[in-house]
Amino acid sequence: MAASARGSVWEIQPGDVGAAGLAAADEAGGFLAALRSAAAVAGPGAAGDAVWASVAAARVLRPDHPHALHQLVYYSIYAGWDRAARGPPPYWFPSPIDCKQTNLGRLMEANGPKLLGSSYKDPISSLSHFHRFSVENQEVYWSMVLKQLAVKFQKEPNAILSTSDRSMKGGTWLQGAVLNIAECCLLPCPSLKRTDDSIAIVWRDEGLDDHPVNRMSLKELRSQVITVANALDTMFHKGDRIAIDMPMTCNAVIIYLAIILGGFIVVSIADSFAPQEIGTRMGVSKAKAIFTQDFIIRGGKKVPLYRLNTYHQHTSDQLIVIPFFSRVVEGTSSKAVVIPATGGYLGVTLRNGDMSWKDFLSRAAGRSSVYSPVYQSADALINILFSSGTTGEPKAIPWTQHSPIRCTADTWAHMDVRPQDIGCWPTNLGWVMGPIILYSCFLNGATLALYHGSPLGRDFCKFVQDAGVTVLGTVPSLVKSWKAGNCANGLDWTKIRVLGTTGEASDIDDNLWLTSRASYKPIVECCGGTELASSYIQGSLLRPQTFGAFSGASMSTGFVILDEQGTPYPDDVPCAGEVGLFPLYFGATNWLLNADHDKVYFDAMPIYKGRQLRRHGDIIQRTVGGYYIVQGRADDTMNLGGIKVEPPLFIVPDPLLSSLHFMKPNQHFSHLQMQTSSVEIERVCNRVDEGLLETAAVSIKPAGGGPEHLAILAVLKDRSAQYDVNLLKSKFQRAIHKNLNPLFKMTGSVLTSMTGLIASKHIGRLMEENGPKLLGSCYEDPALSRFNLFHMFSVEHQDSGVQFPNIWEVQTFFSWPTNLGWVMGPAALYSASETAAVSIKVIKPIGRGPEQLAILIVLEEKSLQCGIAILKSKFQRAIQKNLNPLFMVRVFCFMLLTSYDWMYMHGCTEIVY
């Protein structure tokens, strides 16, 4: 922070205000007087939340004030806040008057009294009762919500929900209904005041930032979608799968809707994937063709997407022309339709059999401008998206016509998207937020805002202003980029009503900056999954909002938090554990294209109230006050800039190595959201150098929250060899760019002399994949006994077909860091200003002997006030008291994180073999 926080708002002095950016004495004095006057409204001795509510209501803080001033006031007001006793501090409070004008508030006011009886009071105080009603009476809730959306059935459903077929664990939804969800996006809707003249899309091309924004009416959008659908009919058969691999431009949206309108199936591929990843997704989905662009325009640069014709290299005496094929051409042999990124002409030469956008559209010439959509059942497949898997092949997740309805209903209820809103969420159709923002705008009667370029800088922020965006979605890495570049300085974001964030953990100070730019509008935190077509926990405009926390479950969504034995905690008790979703979940998948759905989402989950819970994989904390914080993954998935990565066990580096070499902080992660697997990362990295024995991809969580960082741990075959770590890092980065994702940024690499890295990574995966089927009911929740059982089975059943690593001489093995982390977290967090996080690791000694338990501590400060021996003793006592008295802590490794500065390894005190 630029200015230090005081112990309370009353301790702020004129000098503090001046240091925070209001240098003029009269300005600083006037601000301080207004601040104290607003704070006094809360009354003598008022708690921090009451004081902040008064200050926010008085609008003492303005968007044009320096961020340091916002920091000074916010952190001073909440300096004495006891999070343990009161939960996370709120920064936004719903208005008793305005709440009744929200979408959900209007629904509750109209139906609450008859549904809840005398217990209904108002939308704020009755929200928890109404939510419980929506979970227990889903047919009633969804019948009401469907009437609020632009969903037009050709045949009405026989029932909203049927549970008669017990094999359908998620229930049967909208049975008998027939519709075309793309048509619903394109038709006028009187109830939403949407006409043919309504603006459907506003957009701007990068580089034209001083030009007026472009606008497309609903009628124009429908006409262009019909043209593309007519052209598709000349080339493909109904039901064919057609991929889209391009930025989320107007053309991409038109193509997406046309594919579904015509009865085809969209295959969503992120535009930053490497050729191999494109090929994998084309193969898994069996796509017949792909729509793409010649280039991606980003940050003033033209990045090849389809192909790069030639690369010219000058030598002393000649010009060498080197052919270089880019991602789409190299990734798939399927027919490609190529769209120019700018202008009307392609900047590349097409491969034989491929087609230009102009030639493709010409196939619709002479066909009727009236198009008959293909109407299908509500559970018909319309879109294939992808999520990562532990095997390296991405899970192909089917979206049916239920999915758009679900995501639209959630944004209607939680983000309050209304007709005439202008919604913008920089993303890509290859990630789930692309279809979500598309449907959330069109089915709610709102306008979709698209920026054709990089959203990382001021040009995008200016587009938000010029387009009049009222609902702005973000990811935390993007907000960090805007804040670091002061990209919103001088811009007017006061038209924004609601902000949203998803994809990764939010940083509190970054979100303070974001909401302050929009006059302290609410930021709705969202956490869900592609397979859910929605978020299972979200913020709500009917509850106070806190930074980095979720205010409750999504409407109609029920879940429990499970302890380590799989027993649900009581609903009103602060706790932490794996989330178990109620299985009756409208919009969630009930099958996968290339994986066993029951095995992925239901196997080994407990029964609750007569139904098996659905697995999501998050470890969440319920705080005092009923807020939720995502603490990580039960399967230890990493989240790197919104990129979900299935990781191996994090191995502590060799204590003889004392430094990690990191990239500079201004090298940001991609804002786009994609999924890959740590198995894929390791597979690529293992091949970059003949001197490598093995690698592990690991994540590091920064102090104070925010995006995780990726580091590669590498083991050399010859541990005595000298090797340039920077050279190895550059090889890793090039390999990742070429084979996985050109926008994927590696934070650092470290060489380690440990052996057994692969064994310790993969034993956990072997146990997860084979334990339940080999051990049956003996294979309980993750615990130490799992290893013993699995070890005994491997010795007695070596012909089982499972390839067991040759590491069974290890006497003590722990592959489930989450369990130890729950116990040891409180011991490590003895001072919030000193210790930010703790991770539990395993190392294997050089030579022979049992593997050793090590503690990795992440610090906010470079010095530890408590002695190392004392902290180690605290860990040891916690382990022996709560887990196993035979466990001995052998190694400490301190990871120091300094805000936006470099990260580095510092010091390991001892290692005992």
Side-chain angles (χ1 to χ4, degrees), residues 31 68 93 192 195 205 231 302 371 406 413 453 532 599 629 910:
F31 175 85
F93 305 86
L192 299 181
T195 69
D205 294 327
K302 297 174 71 172
Y371 191 83
R406 174 68 199 222
L532 301 177
K599 180 179 179 180
I629 298 173
E910 61 172 323

Side-chain angles (χ1 to χ4, degrees), residues 97 130 196 245 334 383 427 489:
I97 297 175
F130 193 71
D196 273 346
D245 182 2
S334 298
N383 194 178
T427 182
N489 186 41

Side-chain angles (χ1 to χ4, degrees), residues 72-125:
L72 173 66
V73 174
Y74 176 81
Y75 293 119
S76 295
I77 287 176
Y78 280 119
W81 186 265
D82 187 347
R83 293 178 66 97
R86 306 197 63 181
Y91 68 91
W92 181 86
F93 305 86
S95 161
I97 297 175
D98 294 343
C99 75
K100 296 180 181 180
Q101 302 306 313
T102 64
N103 291 331
L104 192 57
R106 287 187 291 102
L107 189 73
M108 292 174 66
E109 285 287 278
N111 298 281
K114 65 182 178 183
L115 297 177
L116 302 180
S118 60
S119 66
Y120 181 79
K121 305 300 181 186
D122 58 74
I124 296 175
S125 59

